[in-house]
Amino acid sequence: MSVLITGGAGFIGSHAAVEFLNAGYEIVIMDNFSNSKPVVLDRIKQITGKDFKFYRADLLDLASLDKIFDENPEIDSVIHFAGLKAVGESVSKPLEYYHNNVTGTLMLCDSMRRHGVKTIVFSSSATVYGAPDEVPIKESARVGNATNPYGETKVMIERILKDIYVSDKEWNVSVLRYFNPIGAHKSGLIGEDPNGIPNNLMPYITKVAGGKLPYLHVFGNDYNTHDGTGVRDYIHVVDLARAHLKALESIKERRGIDYFNIGTGTGYSVLDIVKAYKEATGVEIKYEIEGRRPGDIDACFADPTKAREILGWTAEYDITDMCRDSNNWQRNNPNGYGE
Ligand code: UD1
């Protein structure tokens, strides 16, 4: 039995690959390197001391997908990370986002079905809740009204997976709604390496810490939160990666379709993170308060009870670990994975 990991060279995919290999799984990785680098594969091997098959392939290329399943008949489940994920870019490139994410998933599921592979764990996002009516957010909260095309692709894919399951009860579907993944593997060998100037908070902070950017722009201090800055549920990427192992094991046993929030359940503001970073690493992050970023909300954090009760999963790492490991990755790889 083996697991296909789509997008396995990406930030979350690479950490998941490590956890699956460490847990004794055989894996096959596919990635088109649109937002990742081949060297990631060597790093995964270096961390785990294990080997795996890799395909450079695109989800939109059905023949390549079929080839992967044809050549690896032992694949019995898929962890599906591959997709475009930059919120701002999705607003200016909706066609690319809908096509890559939605059509890509349709192609993947079509190939899976024809090869009798009907177990999938899907990378969704807390973004499917839009502006939540209340926090902490439960899985039963209203889904939809994402504020950008990227978020809409996650909403659409969740609906598609549900309809596939309704049409054929042999499918087992686990949808993981991630909150804000940060941190890096403790080895400092793999981590987040966004293209260009980072949009998300932690990659921006690590660039400031490494002297690549002068200061952090804090987007607004007039939110309805304890210090006025936006509150989010940051989750260590290794904890998040482990949730996929639990989700796969659980869905194979329980069968059907299920949805889980993957967060710690604790919200931290932007200024809390700046403070925690200093405490964890000794590095002072200079910042300036600026206007709000369009589309941002006051607070977003999970009620992770369902994941604990059904998956037996809880986050083990705290905010200090997350800041320390993000900083360690940045120090070891000041230019990310390089060219
Ligand atoms: C963003 C995406 C979300 C995606 C998630 C992935 C938006 C609107 N949402 O969530 O769809 O799933 O990333 O992790 O982009 N901040 C600053 N300065 C910065 C960057 C961020 O003050 O340079 C603040 C933001 O205003 C926010 C918090 O930091 O309050 C977190 O921002 P970010 O890391 O971009 O994540 P989200 O906005 O929660």
Side-chain angles (χ1 to χ4, degrees):
M1 293 303 118
S2 162
V3 180
L4 173 64
I5 302 184
T6 76
F11 173 44
I12 304 170
S14 58
H15 288 82
V18 165
E19 296 307 314
F20 276 87
L21 287 167
N22 282 343
Y25 279 82
E26 296 279 328
I27 65 168
V28 175
I29 292 182
M30 73 167 274
D31 205 296
N32 65 1
F33 296 132
S34 70
N35 190 25
S36 59
K37 306 263 166 59
V39 67
V40 176
L41 305 173
D42 302 325
R43 302 278 179 93
I44 295 170
K45 289 175 190 166
Q46 199 181 330
I47 292 169
T48 61
K50 293 186 177 160
D51 204 1
F52 50 86
K53 260 199 196 171
F54 171 74
Y55 290 84
R56 181 170 191 159
D58 195 298
L59 286 177
L60 296 171
D61 176 3
L62 191 58
S64 292
L65 281 170
D66 284 344
K67 182 169 181 265
I68 295 173
F69 288 109
D70 286 339
E71 290 183 1
N72 301 279
E74 72 287 357
I75 293 175
D76 71 344
S77 46
V78 176
I79 314 292
H80 178 29
F81 294 103
L84 300 177
K85 63 167 191 180
V87 172
E89 185 185 62
S90 79
V91 176
S92 54
K93 295 184 174 171
L95 272 175
E96 283 78 2
Y97 271 69
Y98 286 113
H99 191 48
N100 268 282
N101 292 6
V102 180
T103 315
T105 304
L106 292 173
M107 301 270 205
L108 173 66
C109 290
D110 179 35
S111 186
M112 287 174 68
R113 174 180 60 173
R114 282 184 293 97
H115 291 84
V117 179
K118 296 183 178 180
T119 298
I120 186 167
V121 178
F122 174 60
S123 258
S124 190
S125 165
T127 195
V128 300
Y129 297 117
D133 296 329
E134 55 179 11
V135 285
I137 306 173
K138 286 193 194 321
E139 288 82 352
S140 54
R142 188 174 40 86
V143 163
N145 301 324
T147 51
N148 53 75
Y150 156 76
E152 281 301 330
T153 69
K154 296 293 180 189
V155 173
M156 287 180 184
I157 295 167
E158 285 200 7
R159 279 196 201 125
I160 290 166
L161 291 172
K162 181 165 181 219
D163 289 341
I164 292 174
Y165 168 71
V166 167
S167 76
D168 177 356
K169 299 289 188 316
E170 282 182 15
W171 279 81
N172 300 313
V173 181
S174 189
V175 173
L176 301 187
R177 293 176 179 152
Y178 311 159
F179 282 69
N180 291 56
I182 60 172
H185 192 265
K186 65 176 181 329
S187 63
L189 287 168
I190 55 175
E192 186 167 16
D193 182 23
N195 287 330
I197 295 180
N199 296 304
N200 297 117
L201 181 65
M202 187 53 87
Y204 205 101
I205 287 181
T206 60
K207 291 255 186 262
V208 174
K212 301 257 175 204
L213 290 168
Y215 63 91
L216 171 69
H217 306 254
V218 176
F219 298 145
N221 68 346
D222 56 352
Y223 286 102
N224 184 21
T225 61
H226 63 274
D227 61 15
T229 64
V231 165
R232 299 291 185 274
D233 186 339
Y234 298 92
I235 168 96
H236 196 295
V237 64
V238 171
D239 276 329
L240 174 59
R242 289 178 184 156
H244 294 78
L245 265 176
K246 298 278 193 182
L248 181 61
E249 284 159 8
S250 163
I251 201 66
K252 281 184 161 176
E253 204 169 287
R254 275 162 59 84
R255 314 191 69 80
I257 184 162
D258 232 331
Y259 303 83
F260 298 98
N261 285 338
I262 305 298
T264 64
T266 306
Y268 289 95
S269 73
V270 176
L271 296 182
D272 290 337
I273 299 294
V274 168
K275 190 161 164 258
Y277 204 89
K278 169 90 199 296
E279 279 165 12
T281 67
V283 181
E284 184 98 41
I285 301 299
K286 281 201 212 130
Y287 66 87
E288 286 193 15
I289 308 280
E290 300 185 2
R292 291 183 176 200
R293 181 173 66 179
D296 273 355
I297 54 177
D298 302 85
C300 175
F301 53 97
D303 178 341
T305 309
K306 188 175 170 193
R308 186 182 69 232
E309 288 181 355
I310 294 181
L311 302 182
W313 173 89
T314 42
E316 286 170 26
Y317 294 106
D318 65 16
I319 199 70
T320 308
D321 302 319
M322 297 181 220
C323 291
R324 183 201 58 224
D325 292 344
S326 287
N327 189 62
N328 184 39
W329 154 251
Q330 151 69 32
R331 270 196 12 248
N332 284 301
N333 307 269
N335 299 311
Y337 290 111
E339 284 317 307

